[in-house]
Amino acid sequence: MPTLKKLLSDLRSTCNQFTEEAHQRKMDLLDRLSELKKFNVNELNFYHDCLLFLMAYPQNKELYNMAGLELQRLPAIAAKLSESKNAREQMAMNGTGIENSYIIASFSYDICRWLIEKYPDNVQYFSCDADEQTQQSVLKKILPAALTYCFDKDYKGFAKWKNSFAIGNDATGIKRILDLFSESVNDASVRDELFDSMRFFIQINVAAPLFSRTTNRTQANHLFFHKGDLIRKAELIKILSQPVNQPLQISEHEKIHLVDSSKCALMMLLRETDPVTYAQVNETEWHQLDRGISIALYYMEPSRRMPLDAYVGYMAYKNGCPIAYGGAWIFMDHARIGVNVFEPYRGGESAFIFGQILRLYAQRFNLKQFEAEPYQIGHNNVEGIKSGAFWFYYRLGFRPQQNHLLKIADEEWNRIISDKNYRSSTVCLKKLALSFMVLKLDSAVSIIELNALSVKANEWTSKNLNGNVASLKSLIEKAAKGIFKNYNIKSLSPLQKEVMHNILALLLPFVENIKWDKKSTDLLMKAIIEKASGSEFKYLKALNENKALRQILTSDH
């Protein structure tokens, strides 16, 4: 009789095989495992992730249903482990993300606010882990002055103050803490910084209605069944050339579901991304692509946006399961991008899925060049170095822009393809992680990169104004009056004025050479208004359609 460890190992090794023999083997293994009721935490987590893989990569409807039924069975086992008298076993359930487990973690102000409003019965206060000096410093900033003189002697630390005000540990207590920050600090960025410095930890009961890793799904209109081998090598040129349809029309309720699903998927990893945390829900897009892949795009609320580029996040789903996340920082032709595949789905079609993500971004935003986020290829990222992430991007066509690193990469790649047992050293991968990895979609097009424009703006300011910021502001005001002479710029909101100043600061080195006809001026104003208070998709579109702007930014001036 095979051990549980052996059964699980066999299931994992056959999950990504799609022969008739593998199909029968998966059925037999699921039959055997379905009879077992006792798992330790590691075994349960391993089995749970095998089942998630089978849901995302089903061979047929029968296997899909079997995996789904088994996933429904595991929460009862998880509940027993989470309530175990064995403290070590109970603690091991923390952070698994399985239904009926729990999470103790620190999250941003906005995620904590979302949790108590959406899932009040699932959360409770756990601790404040900032040092005593930080606690007292923050409390003095957010409390009326008359209440802070006692801190030096009697009320040392947040816990004592919290108890004295009878603030409980339930969602109502957390709300009182959050309200204290929001009512005392008007500037959201300052509020967030003070809140984060307190290192508040909350405990989350991972159970319905909150989406656990077990239950997190979106509606899959058409399940994709794998009848043959997985696509291991992505033919990127072919993928990118396939047209992408317009986003599907979905309801407000469906958009909220997508945002909540992504927040929960990231939360189970103890992570957040700004486009998801600060998502402008009504701008959320839902795109259906190939082989059961769907992608949600998330745009940020106006007050949280980047000054000039647009940080557009995504969550990729396969057959309704969230399988990968990331985002792109977009400015005109260029985007910095990265991908993170959730652990249960590694060993699947990661390169193909990233190809679909690139395809969507390239066509949706009219991009001509992608740059891999440095962290993604291993810069200050131990996991990225260990996994050889650099080669994932290299295989897809990304190349270092520094000649000496390109030479190292090409020589190293030749060694890899000539010797199947060869592995790049950690030292080599750390060198390559310093690369600016770029994928050029159209080498004939002059690319507009925000970083290069920023360098020019700095050089121009230094040369012409001796770095005098006050003079820079004065020139920006003068340029604005000239360019927008037919607009009442005094009527712009503070945020719109801020965006206008940011854009014009970037354009000052070129402004005298731009022929501002009515169309180009209208498009520039549209970009300003959309960036500050409308749609970031429309902001990017207005920039790309501005021919006068594009012509001067790609010239040698």
Side-chain angles (χ1 to χ4, degrees):
M1 181 71 179
T3 63
L4 174 55
K5 183 178 180 180
K6 173 67 170 144
L7 291 173
L8 293 173
S9 176
D10 286 352
L11 180 61
R12 182 66 225 189
S13 65
T14 55
C15 273
N16 58 3
Q17 297 175 25
F18 298 92
T19 62
E20 280 299 319
E21 183 183 352
H23 169 257
Q24 190 57 52
R25 183 68 177 146
K26 282 182 255 189
M27 297 279 288
D28 292 343
L29 287 165
L30 287 175
D31 270 337
R32 290 191 187 187
L33 287 161
S34 66
E35 297 172 359
L36 303 178
K37 294 181 175 60
K38 189 169 178 58
F39 295 78
N40 64 34
V41 175
N42 288 337
E43 291 163 345
L44 181 69
N45 203 27
F46 189 90
Y47 185 33
H48 178 271
D49 287 1
C50 287
L51 293 171
L52 288 180
F53 189 95
L54 290 172
M55 295 288 287
Y57 291 91
Q59 197 162 348
N60 55 33
K61 189 67 179 287
E62 187 178 16
L63 269 171
Y64 178 85
N65 289 337
M66 285 184 75
L69 286 171
E70 274 297 88
L71 274 175
Q72 291 176 29
R73 187 174 72 89
L74 298 192
I77 300 170
K80 290 180 181 178
L81 291 169
S82 295
E83 297 163 5
S84 171
K85 293 179 180 178
N86 182 326
R88 182 176 293 180
E89 201 167 56
Q90 187 183 94
M91 287 175 64
M93 287 299 291
N94 177 20
T96 62
I98 300 172
E99 184 83 357
N100 288 335
S101 65
Y102 67 99
I103 291 171
I104 298 173
S106 180
F107 294 103
S108 69
Y109 171 93
D110 285 77
I111 287 295
C112 290
R113 175 71 70 180
W114 167 75
L115 279 167
I116 64 163
E117 291 174 356
K118 194 90 181 184
Y119 310 107
D121 295 334
N122 291 70
V123 294
Q124 62 180 7
Y125 173 88
F126 187 78
S127 68
C128 173
D129 281 17
D131 59 68
E132 188 177 281
Q133 185 177 354
T134 300
Q135 291 180 28
Q136 291 188 190
S137 173
V138 172
L139 285 172
K140 286 179 179 180
K141 287 182 174 72
I142 62 176
L143 288 172
L147 301 182
T148 65
Y149 283 89
C150 60
F151 290 155
D152 295 332
K153 292 182 179 179
D154 302 315
Y155 283 74
K156 291 192 174 182
F158 180 80
K160 189 167 183 178
W161 174 85
K162 175 177 171 288
N163 292 335
S164 73
F165 273 65
I167 295 177
N169 291 334
D170 60 3
T172 302
I174 297 173
K175 182 180 184 300
R176 287 181 65 188
I177 295 169
L178 294 171
D179 287 346
L180 181 61
F181 280 85
S182 61
E183 291 165 4
S184 305
V185 187
N186 293 325
D187 188 309
S189 61
V190 175
R191 179 202 67 201
D192 293 349
E193 188 176 340
L194 290 173
F195 185 83
D196 291 344
S197 70
M198 290 291 276
R199 301 191 68 236
F200 288 117
F201 279 72
I202 58 173
Q203 180 164 331
I204 303 168
N205 177 26
V206 181
L210 182 142
F211 301 122
S212 64
R213 290 201 305 124
T214 313
T215 60
N216 199 344
R217 302 279 186 283
T218 61
Q219 184 66 38
N221 294 334
H222 302 286
L223 290 173
F224 180 84
F225 299 112
H226 288 261
K227 303 298 184 184
D229 293 338
L230 295 177
I231 298 175
R232 299 294 191 182
K233 295 180 180 179
E235 297 180 49
L236 198 56
I237 294 174
K238 182 179 178 182
I239 291 171
L240 293 172
S241 67
Q242 296 170 346
V244 171
N245 294 326
Q246 289 295 305
L248 295 179
Q249 294 297 313
I250 58 175
S251 67
E252 189 72 9
H253 175 76
E254 289 170 313
K255 290 178 180 181
I256 292 169
H257 173 85
L258 286 172
V259 173
D260 290 347
S261 167
S262 292
K263 284 180 178 177
C264 286
L266 293 170
M267 193 167 61
M268 296 303 117
L269 290 177
L270 315 185
R271 294 181 186 173
E272 297 181 47
T273 66
D274 285 354
V276 171
T277 296
Y278 308 119
Q280 189 176 15
V281 175
N282 66 312
E283 292 293 318
T284 300
E285 295 178 2
W286 184 235
H287 296 263
Q288 287 193 348
L289 293 110
D290 301 340
R291 295 173 71 83
I293 298 168
S294 300
I295 299 174
L297 293 182
Y298 302 107
Y299 300 85
M300 294 168 68
E301 297 170 348
S303 64
R304 296 289 188 167
R305 292 172 180 171
M306 305 296 289
L308 291 165
D309 48 345
Y311 183 13
V312 182
Y314 68 83
M315 183 69 68
Y317 294 81
K318 185 166 169 61
N319 286 332
C321 303
I323 56 170
Y325 73 95
W329 291 259
I330 305 168
F331 185 79
M332 298 189 80
D333 305 312
H334 178 86
R336 287 186 296 122
I337 197 165
V339 63
N340 304 274
V341 177
F342 290 121
E343 192 169 342
Y345 308 103
R346 293 171 190 173
E349 297 182 330
S350 298
F352 178 80
I353 290 163
F354 189 41
Q356 296 297 320
I357 293 164
L358 294 174
R359 171 190 169 202
L360 174 60
Y361 273 87
Q363 295 187 39
R364 186 67 177 148
F365 303 107
N366 196 28
L367 298 172
K368 300 296 184 291
Q369 180 172 287
F370 288 104
E371 180 182 344
E373 259 290 280
Y375 181 82
Q376 290 281 317
I377 61 173
H379 185 56
N380 295 327
N381 177 1
V382 175
E383 185 182 342
I385 295 295
K386 284 183 178 177
S387 66
F390 176 91
W391 299 117
F392 175 81
Y393 288 89
Y394 189 93
R395 286 185 178 94
L396 285 169
F398 286 80
R399 291 293 181 268
Q401 295 307 286
Q402 305 98 312
N403 289 333
H404 70 289
L405 292 175
L406 177 60
K407 185 173 183 290
I408 293 172
D410 289 344
E411 290 173 352
E412 192 72 3
W413 181 246
N414 286 332
R415 293 189 188 101
I416 290 170
I417 59 177
S418 62
D419 181 357
K420 290 183 180 180
N421 296 317
Y422 181 80
R423 293 292 180 272
S424 300
S425 68
T426 299
V427 172
C428 178
L429 289 170
K430 284 183 176 179
K431 281 183 186 176
L432 293 174
L434 299 173
S435 302
F436 299 119
M437 290 280 279
V438 164
L439 174 68
K440 296 181 179 180
L441 306 185
D442 188 344
S443 57
V445 174
S446 296
I447 302 299
I448 300 170
E449 291 186 43
L450 184 54
N451 180 67
L453 294 177
S454 181
V455 169
K456 284 188 178 182
N458 273 281
E459 290 173 347
W460 187 92
T461 304
S462 175
K463 179 181 177 182
N464 294 277
L465 304 175
N466 293 319
N468 189 313
V469 176
S471 296
L472 178 65
K473 289 180 179 178
S474 176
L475 274 180
I476 289 171
E477 292 287 351
K478 183 180 177 182
K481 289 175 183 176
I483 296 167
F484 300 115
K485 58 189 175 186
N486 295 322
Y487 289 85
N488 180 14
I489 58 176
K490 289 182 179 179
S491 67
L492 295 177
S493 71
L495 193 53
Q496 288 169 345
K497 287 179 182 177
E498 183 182 333
V499 171
M500 179 178 70
H501 286 190
N502 284 332
I503 291 176
L504 292 182
L506 199 69
L507 297 181
L508 274 181
F510 316 94
V511 75
E512 292 181 358
N513 298 306
I514 301 177
K515 296 178 181 178
W516 293 109
D517 57 19
K518 185 178 186 305
K519 185 174 182 180
S520 60
T521 306
D522 288 347
L523 282 170
L524 189 60
M525 180 54 72
K526 179 175 176 57
I528 289 166
I529 292 170
E530 293 293 351
K531 179 69 166 174
S533 51
S535 157
E536 280 214 288
F537 174 76
K538 291 178 182 177
Y539 161 73
L540 292 170
K541 192 169 185 287
L543 286 181
N544 275 323
E545 289 177 353
N546 197 324
K547 292 181 180 178
L549 185 64
R550 174 172 293 282
Q551 183 177 3
I552 199 67
L553 293 182
T554 54
S555 72
D556 294 327
H557 289 286

